[in-house]
Amino acid sequence: MARFTLPRDLYHGKGALEALKTFKGKKAIICVGGGSMKRFGFLQKAEDYLKEAGMEVKLFEGIEPDPSVETVMKGAAVMQEFEPDWIVAMGGGSPIDAAKAMWIKYEYPDITFEDMCKVFGIPALRNKAHFCAISSTSGTATEVTAFSIITDYEKGIKYPIADFEITPDVAIVDPDLAETMPQKLVAHTGMDAMTHAIEAYVSMMATEFTDGLAIEAIKTIFEYLPRAYEEGANDPIAREKMANAATMAGMAFANAFLGICHSMGHKLGAYHHLPHGVTVGLVLDEVMRFNAEEVPTKMGTFPQYEYPHALRRYAEIADSLNLGGNTDQEKLERLINKIDELKERVGFKKTIKDYGISEEDFLSTLDEMSEKAFDDQCTGANPRYPLISEIKEIYLKTYYGG
């Protein structure tokens, strides 16, 4: 048996933020990040809409990029005192991820962070509050997923929290918010969305329900990410298309899950402080070639297929883009070339080394990164089950250039 879970309501299109006017409740807390939502007036709009709905509103501001366990505990304590019946998280992936974790701690004050990280082990939520996620970036798609990433800075580890319980009740995808993204963020979040869609399509948990969303997201990102990157707010159509594509990719991976691009990206980012979209984009090429081996060292766990077929799935993506090619292997290489062209166009560098990570620093963390990537929650759905030594080899190829 498989499961397909999404937010009950998804409001999208220009002006979708106004949906907050229709919410029913007494108190709402808005969780936001560094200040762009306030600077561009969206925080005030959200606060006004909730007050128009008859609610008392409290703000929890200043959630940092890659939110920490400490921030989660602090926010949950504020919620315990205020007792909201709506938690509204607004911004990029960081404030929404943090607010999801705060929600768990608010509903269950005695739960430990370690218990939160048990895969699909969170008790039933919505006893105290419902959750609304409002995305301002076109990449993470946490507004529609059952996942959250929280960083323990003492241990230097990013921990994924995974449970359908933390799927938001309401998602709002208003492209007006995405129009404020700086150019680098457009590139990084766009490549994150691309990786979400590709990994969801080849995942062992992919189904007919997720395939269409993933393919449509991939096609849309190839067409509109360069425009969104180059023209910015001057091309509102491209920004809206990217907002929609990122959310579609999120709807796909929320149910098909991801793979070792994200396992490796999580650890590379945590150890060497590179943006998440950069890390997953860097390892994507070599992960695709690794997954496409027709006789892998080890099969995946509980696959939804009889025989390994990642190569065929990559070829199907290439076919959807009309890339040509006579064999599946040729189609794979054409797809990788097209991805590389896109990355170059939106300012990506080719290797980990190119981002200024010294060889000494990289090699000193390589073994530990590889082990922790193997243990990452995303590894289980990868179409080819990796050995730690194979993860290490992919890291090396990505550092020096394959």
Side-chain angles (χ1 to χ4, degrees):
M1 181 177 71
R3 178 172 174 174
F4 188 83
T5 301
L6 295 172
R8 185 196 68 194
D9 295 309
L10 170 60
Y11 296 96
H12 58 94
K14 291 181 76 67
L17 192 62
E18 284 194 45
L20 293 172
K21 292 180 182 179
T22 67
F23 285 20
K24 307 295 183 187
K26 295 180 180 179
K27 292 182 177 181
I29 186 167
I30 304 176
C31 301
V32 293
S36 64
M37 291 297 94
K38 176 181 279 189
R39 194 162 58 250
F40 292 107
F42 296 115
L43 178 58
Q44 187 64 56
K45 280 186 178 181
E47 188 175 357
D48 290 345
Y49 289 147
L50 289 166
K51 287 179 177 177
E52 192 174 332
M55 285 192 246
E56 180 184 350
V57 181
K58 186 174 185 65
L59 304 181
F60 184 83
E61 301 180 71
I63 297 171
E64 72 272 37
D66 299 320
S68 66
V69 177
E70 289 75 19
T71 296
V72 168
M73 298 306 168
K74 182 179 176 183
V78 172
M79 291 178 188
Q80 290 290 344
E81 184 178 345
F82 183 61
E83 298 184 333
D85 39 29
W86 273 102
I87 298 167
V88 178
M90 187 177 194
S94 294
I96 298 175
D97 280 3
K100 285 180 178 180
M102 292 172 194
W103 183 24
I104 302 167
K105 185 70 174 175
Y106 169 49
E107 298 246 354
Y108 294 96
D110 294 332
I111 198 170
T112 64
F113 181 68
E114 290 73 20
D115 286 337
M116 290 187 200
C117 295
K118 292 177 181 176
V119 181
F120 294 97
I122 294 171
L125 300 179
R126 298 166 181 82
N127 302 303
K128 295 180 180 179
H130 286 81
F131 193 99
C132 172
I134 305 169
S135 61
S136 66
T137 62
S138 304
T140 69
T142 190
E143 72 274 6
V144 292
T145 74
F147 310 111
S148 166
I149 305 293
I150 304 298
T151 301
D152 184 329
Y153 284 98
E154 285 187 10
K155 296 179 180 177
I157 300 173
K158 291 187 176 185
Y159 287 98
I161 300 173
D163 197 294
F164 286 121
E165 284 296 325
I166 62 170
T167 302
D169 298 288
V170 178
I172 297 177
V173 183
D174 187 331
D176 288 344
L177 278 68
E179 287 182 9
T180 65
M181 282 196 295
Q183 191 178 49
K184 274 190 178 180
L185 188 60
V186 172
H188 298 169
T189 57
M191 190 51 58
D192 189 22
M194 176 70 85
T195 309
H196 288 157
I198 292 172
E199 288 209 290
Y201 194 76
V202 301
S203 162
M204 288 189 305
M205 305 302 291
T207 68
E208 291 91 342
F209 295 95
T210 61
D211 285 351
L213 290 163
I215 287 290
E216 188 63 25
I218 291 165
K219 291 163 67 175
T220 303
I221 293 165
F222 271 121
E223 183 173 356
Y224 288 100
L225 177 55
R227 283 173 51 178
Y229 175 79
E230 291 162 4
E231 299 299 327
N234 295 323
D235 191 342
I237 292 174
R239 284 289 174 95
E240 181 167 4
K241 290 289 190 180
M242 281 302 303
N244 293 344
T247 300
M248 285 189 289
M251 293 163 76
F253 90 77
N255 293 280
F257 307 113
L258 294 165
I260 61 169
C261 274
H262 275 76
S263 302
M264 297 178 68
H266 290 153
K267 307 319 170 196
L268 181 59
Y271 278 85
H272 296 288
H273 311 294
L274 293 172
H276 175 68
V278 169
T279 63
V280 294
L282 281 169
V283 299
L284 180 58
D285 292 9
E286 293 303 329
V287 167
M288 289 172 67
R289 291 189 176 102
F290 170 79
N291 287 342
E293 288 289 334
E294 295 193 79
V295 186
T297 308
K298 190 173 181 180
M299 283 278 283
T301 308
F302 308 121
Q304 303 295 303
Y305 53 77
E306 189 173 359
Y307 302 105
H309 67 177
L311 179 59
R312 175 90 288 269
R313 298 288 278 177
Y314 290 130
E316 288 170 4
I317 296 173
D319 287 342
S320 76
L321 298 165
N322 300 312
L323 299 183
N326 296 316
T327 66
D328 287 351
Q329 188 64 46
E330 189 177 340
K331 291 174 182 180
L332 168 67
E333 290 303 324
R334 290 191 180 198
L335 175 59
I336 291 172
N337 288 340
K338 187 170 179 66
I339 292 168
D340 287 345
E341 289 169 5
L342 176 65
K343 286 193 287 189
E344 184 175 358
R345 187 166 174 183
V346 298
F348 270 66
K349 298 173 184 177
K350 294 184 184 298
T351 68
I352 297 171
K353 188 176 183 179
D354 291 339
Y355 279 91
I357 310 301
S358 74
E359 185 176 45
E360 181 182 0
D361 286 347
F362 178 75
L363 293 177
S364 70
T365 61
L366 180 58
D367 287 342
E368 195 170 342
M369 275 199 308
S370 301
E371 289 179 21
K372 288 182 177 176
F374 178 82
D375 288 334
D376 190 275
Q377 293 174 353
C378 293
T379 299
N382 199 67
R384 177 181 172 186
Y385 203 74
L387 304 178
I388 294 173
S389 60
E390 291 169 333
I391 291 175
K392 184 175 178 179
E393 184 63 26
I394 295 170
Y395 271 136
L396 286 166
K397 287 180 179 177
T398 308
Y399 182 82
Y400 294 108

